[in-house]
Amino acid sequence: KKYSMADIQNATLAGGVAVGSTADLIIGPGGALTIGVIAGTISTIGFNYLTPRLNQIGVHDTAGVHNLHGLPGIFGGICSIVVVAVATEATYGVDQFAEIFTHPISRQWWTQLVALLITLAMAIIPGIIAGLIAG
């Protein structure tokens, strides 16, 4: 399949969506590039392969929100959990570490995970209800 300019534009935006989850964390240029490339790839695969299959079963995303914001956002949330899990005071400095991480580091990754799951529930449940109403 030949990719279009829209795929490239959406991949670029998806990278920004995913990196936003780690915006206040130290990931470095390499980490940002890696997250962005993977998120762009996930988004492009979603638009080109997942969306047609979802349409076949009656699930429609007319604005592309699922592939541009949903999948990269979930990936970004997972990245933030990983970055938090490996964070140390030595990397951030004592003052900045205490300012960024409001919970003990052993619990902060768990807090990130719970926030991701709550966000997913807040997106999926109303989406299902709206789909049933419109359906």
Side-chain angles (χ1 to χ4, degrees), residues 11-12 14-16 18-19 31-41 75:
T12 303
V19 169
L33 183 62
T34 302
I35 292 170
V37 167
I38 293 171
T41 303
F75 174 68

Side-chain angles (χ1 to χ4, degrees), residues 10-84:
N10 285 320
T12 303
L13 293 170
V17 168
V19 169
S21 298
T22 58
D24 62 342
L25 303 172
I26 297 175
I27 58 171
L33 183 62
T34 302
I35 292 170
V37 167
I38 293 171
T41 303
I42 289 169
S43 176
T44 303
I45 289 170
F47 273 112
N48 288 291
Y49 299 103
L50 184 59
T51 295
R53 281 156 186 74
L54 290 174
N55 288 340
Q56 289 174 348
I57 62 170
V59 178
H60 299 285
D61 179 14
T62 56
V65 174
H66 177 259
N67 300 311
L68 180 56
H69 296 284
L71 295 176
I74 292 168
F75 174 68
I78 292 168
C79 289
S80 75
I81 293 167
V82 171
V83 171
V84 165

Side-chain angles (χ1 to χ4, degrees), residues 89-112:
E89 281 187 2
T91 303
Y92 288 85
V94 176
D95 293 335
Q96 188 177 7
F97 190 82
E99 185 178 321
I100 292 174
F101 302 110
T102 56
H103 300 290
I105 202 66
S106 61
R107 273 196 1 214
Q108 185 69 43
W109 71 270
W110 177 250
T111 304
Q112 299 283 113

